[in-house]
Amino acid sequence: MKIRVVSSKEEIQSLSENEEIVHLAFRPSNTDIFSLVVKCPGVKALHIPSSYKKTISKSAKMYLEMQGIDLLEGDVWGHRKDINEYSEVSQSVYDRIKDYRNEGLSEEEINEKMVRETRLSPDFIEFLMKQ
């Protein structure tokens, strides 16, 4: 799964309408969130750093919820935007989730193990397990 990394408000206009997950590396305003959803009607999730997630307004959260868009917290570790505008979740993450399911682990146990193994946030792992 590819995550489009957006570093500034100005980049929102350059997004493709086919983006499914967008990581916002800046503190978005309500207007930024609305513009992003209009520009990318198929977006499934917004991924933002935890410090920024705490400052998202209740109205923006409600808007995202009404649109069926998950608000996920976390960082894109080690990503170099100057090299590639996308960060990618490797197939090995999905394979590991599948292996844990085949072992009979609960969703909660899988989430805990995957958070430790991947350094991804619990809500992001939960989102990936729904895919």
Side-chain angles (χ1 to χ4, degrees):
M1 175 177 291
K2 288 186 174 186
I3 303 168
R4 177 63 153 85
V5 179
V6 177
S7 300
S8 69
K9 300 170 186 278
E10 294 75 28
E11 279 185 60
I12 292 173
Q13 295 311 311
S14 69
L15 294 174
S16 160
E17 64 182 39
N18 300 326
E19 305 296 350
E20 292 186 347
I21 298 181
V22 177
H23 174 81
L24 299 176
F26 65 95
R27 190 178 313 273
S29 67
N30 290 357
T31 306
D32 299 329
I33 291 171
F34 180 75
S35 296
L36 189 142
V37 173
V38 169
K39 183 72 177 171
C40 307
V43 72
K44 295 178 182 176
L46 294 184
H47 187 251
I48 59 176
S50 59
S51 60
Y52 296 170
K53 185 178 179 188
K54 294 173 186 169
T55 64
I56 299 292
S57 71
K58 288 181 182 177
S59 59
K61 290 177 183 176
M62 190 180 335
Y63 173 72
L64 290 171
E65 188 176 318
M66 288 174 20
Q67 298 297 318
I69 300 169
D70 290 327
L71 183 60
L72 309 173
E73 100 178 37
D75 289 304
V76 182
W77 297 102
H79 177 70
R80 296 262 322 261
K81 188 150 186 312
D82 58 331
I83 296 173
N84 189 353
E85 59 191 19
Y86 290 92
S87 176
E88 196 158 352
V89 176
S90 73
Q91 184 60 41
S92 65
V93 172
Y94 293 102
D95 294 343
R96 197 75 179 127
I97 290 170
K98 184 178 177 184
D99 290 344
Y100 284 142
R101 281 187 173 139
N102 291 339
E103 290 175 18
L105 271 63
S106 70
E107 297 289 303
E108 189 175 294
E109 291 171 319
I110 295 170
N111 195 321
E112 288 174 11
K113 286 183 176 282
M114 292 303 297
V115 166
R116 281 194 303 266
E117 291 177 21
T118 64
R119 292 181 46 190
L120 296 172
S121 67
D123 57 347
F124 191 65
I125 296 291
E126 188 177 318
F127 177 80
L128 294 176
M129 289 192 299
K130 293 189 293 186
Q131 299 303 305

